[in-house]
Amino acid sequence: MAIGDIIVGVDIGTTKVATVVGEVNNFGQIEIISNTSYKCNGLKKGKIISEDEISLSLAKTIKDAEDETNLKINSAYVTIPGKYATIVQNSITKEVKDKYSGISIRDVQSAMMQVKDIEVPDGKTLIDIVPDKITLENGTVVTDPVGNLSSSFTISAQVILAEKDYVRQLNTIFKRAGLEIDGIVPITLAERNLILDSNEMHDNIMLLDIGAGNTDIGVFEGSSFIYTNSIPLGGDNITNDIALVLNISEEEADKLKRQYGLALKSYIDVDKDNDIILNTCKNESKSKIIKSSELIEIIEARIEEMFSIINKDITNQGIKSKINNVILTGQGIVNINKSDVAGKINLNIPVKISTGRAISTVKPAYRTSYALVRYIAARPFTKTVSSNIDTKSEESFFKNIIERIKEFFYS
């Protein structure tokens, strides 16, 4: 990245589209110059159900961002749910062009382009390359090999593939909003640098982002991104359960969830099992009264189900034993007390709410978009990351993605 680079990050969620525009300042840090969002119901359980609605909401956030920044935004990066992404581990050994001059940036960039050369299954397309570990000929592992005297080096990376049909839908949505896509990044990969603290960055971590209608799973083995998925459950499911079981409006159910949010009934003090008056109870001639423990039982059941599904998924994938700690984030659960304890009980792995320092600097609604901008800005060995550019719309979309990746790593 370079000083003055402008990066636009878009996150399409269950209830809204959120856009963050960041600029690289003189200190090489991202400075937010705009954050905008607009309500949207075009995504349900991680599936796009209305391209038109998402496109209109996206166009609205971009227009608001343009008005705030006096910029003409032509392109943006966007997140993708884990269920549509596949991670392929790959490594190649690269001979250095001039071993007496040391490893050059061109050597590294050329290696980055070679490591992506894998057999891509039908129905999938390449969206990202994540350099992981670089090992010199003598076995030394380095973060930046440039300048080291070595006749060869080995680069290990994660090649990220995505479902072609979902990417096509994203492309259509962006085109309708007058935008090109600069890049597509799995949600938890984008969030890792924002959500985790410095110690967690080197640990074997499962990151769980529990949103309104979807939960994204990302598993990191040290610096390696080894698994991602998503399940179609989130905070809205808890609200819906409360409304259905208590026969009340979703508005009142959401208010009660926020007011009495507790993940485990066992933590209720017997002396504080308060009466709750239900004001919107249907088919009742007068207000109905329940105990707070009855409400919390409903919340507990859904949270237990969510963690049970996650536990089954990572067990079936054979990666549960690799996970040392679980980090929770997302507006769907972090405001529910003892959700970390419920997670530990169901997963049998230590669980904590995210305490990453950078989290508190950004409003919850924009955290994923901001994390995306930070992720793009921090890409190593890149030529350019700026979004404030015009793209060649006449070229085929899938060719554009490959060409964009070449721009990242090859000059």
Side-chain angles (χ1 to χ4, degrees), residues 356-375:
R357 288 183 182 180
I359 289 181
S360 60
T361 64
V362 187
K363 292 179 180 178
Y366 302 106
R367 282 178 185 164
T368 302
S369 302
Y370 175 59
L372 174 60
V373 170
R374 277 174 53 109
Y375 168 78

Side-chain angles (χ1 to χ4, degrees), residues 87-103:
I87 304 166
V88 179
Q89 308 289 337
N90 195 27
S91 64
I92 62 111
T93 298
K94 174 75 175 175
E95 296 295 325
V96 175
K97 190 171 184 180
D98 184 353
K99 65 181 179 181
Y100 299 107
S101 298
I103 300 171

Side-chain angles (χ1 to χ4, degrees), residues 2-297:
I3 292 171
D5 272 1
I6 293 173
I7 303 166
V8 183
V10 172
D11 178 56
I12 301 169
T14 303
T15 59
K16 68 184 182 309
V17 173
T19 296
V20 165
V21 182
E23 183 174 8
V24 181
N25 64 23
N26 292 333
F27 302 100
Q29 299 171 328
I30 286 294
E31 185 176 319
I32 298 176
I33 57 176
S34 171
N35 48 31
T36 57
S37 67
Y38 199 74
K39 63 183 181 179
C40 180
N41 296 307
L43 193 74
K44 188 174 183 180
K45 296 184 177 180
K47 294 182 179 180
I48 294 171
I49 59 172
S50 174
E51 293 177 1
D52 286 340
E53 183 168 353
I54 296 173
S55 183
L56 288 170
S57 296
L58 172 59
K60 173 66 175 173
T61 69
I62 295 297
K63 175 66 167 58
D64 289 347
E66 289 177 335
D67 291 344
E68 282 185 25
T69 61
N70 291 320
L71 295 172
K72 177 68 177 72
I73 297 172
N74 301 306
S75 61
Y77 296 87
V78 63
T79 56
I80 186 171
K83 67 188 289 186
Y84 298 109
T86 302
I87 304 166
V88 179
Q89 308 289 337
N90 195 27
S91 64
I92 62 111
T93 298
K94 174 75 175 175
E95 296 295 325
V96 175
K97 190 171 184 180
D98 184 353
K99 65 181 179 181
Y100 299 107
S101 298
I103 300 171
S104 69
I105 184 67
R106 184 175 285 274
D107 288 326
V108 179
Q109 291 169 333
S110 176
M112 288 297 299
M113 292 315 299
Q114 289 179 32
V115 81
K116 77 170 179 60
D117 290 335
I118 63 168
E119 187 174 340
V120 178
D122 290 342
K124 295 186 184 296
T125 187
L126 175 69
I127 60 168
D128 204 1
I129 306 167
V130 186
D132 180 14
K133 185 170 69 171
I134 299 176
T135 309
L136 303 182
E137 187 180 30
N138 63 6
T140 303
V141 177
V142 295
T143 303
D144 185 353
V146 175
N148 281 275
L149 294 175
S150 182
S151 59
S152 67
F153 62 94
T154 299
I155 185 165
S156 300
Q158 285 85 57
V159 182
I160 314 296
L161 308 177
E163 298 289 339
K164 226 171 190 177
D165 288 342
Y166 190 87
V167 173
R168 282 196 186 99
Q169 285 185 289
L170 286 179
N171 183 44
T172 300
I173 288 164
F174 271 63
K175 290 281 190 185
R176 289 176 182 170
L179 298 167
E180 297 288 342
I181 294 178
D182 287 321
I184 304 170
V185 180
I187 289 171
T188 51
L189 176 60
E191 291 180 331
R192 177 175 179 260
N193 288 343
L194 179 70
I195 302 302
L196 305 186
D197 63 28
S198 56
N199 293 327
E200 292 160 353
M201 291 288 286
H202 304 288
D203 197 0
N204 292 358
I205 293 288
M206 177 164 66
L207 175 58
L208 296 178
D209 181 349
I210 301 177
N214 214 47
T215 293
D216 259 86
I217 303 166
V219 180
F220 300 88
E221 191 172 4
S223 60
S224 300
F225 187 35
I226 65 169
Y227 180 68
T228 187
N229 198 3
S230 47
I231 62 171
L233 291 174
D236 282 357
N237 296 94
I238 300 172
T239 302
N240 294 340
D241 288 350
I242 295 169
L244 184 65
V245 174
L246 300 181
N247 202 25
I248 58 176
S249 70
E250 289 197 1
E251 290 76 17
E252 184 175 14
D254 189 60
K255 183 179 178 182
L256 291 175
K257 181 182 75 173
R258 294 174 188 276
Q259 186 175 353
Y260 293 93
L262 183 62
L264 292 165
K265 182 182 174 183
S266 58
Y267 277 83
I268 300 176
D269 189 325
V270 176
D271 297 330
K272 295 182 180 179
D273 192 3
N274 303 323
D275 287 342
I276 300 174
I277 300 174
L278 305 179
N279 297 311
T280 62
C281 201
K282 300 163 188 173
N283 302 323
E284 294 281 341
S285 58
K286 60 181 181 178
S287 297
K288 185 178 177 181
I289 299 175
I290 64 165
K291 290 290 186 181
S292 57
S293 57
E294 295 177 63
L295 171 67
I296 291 159
E297 265 188 57

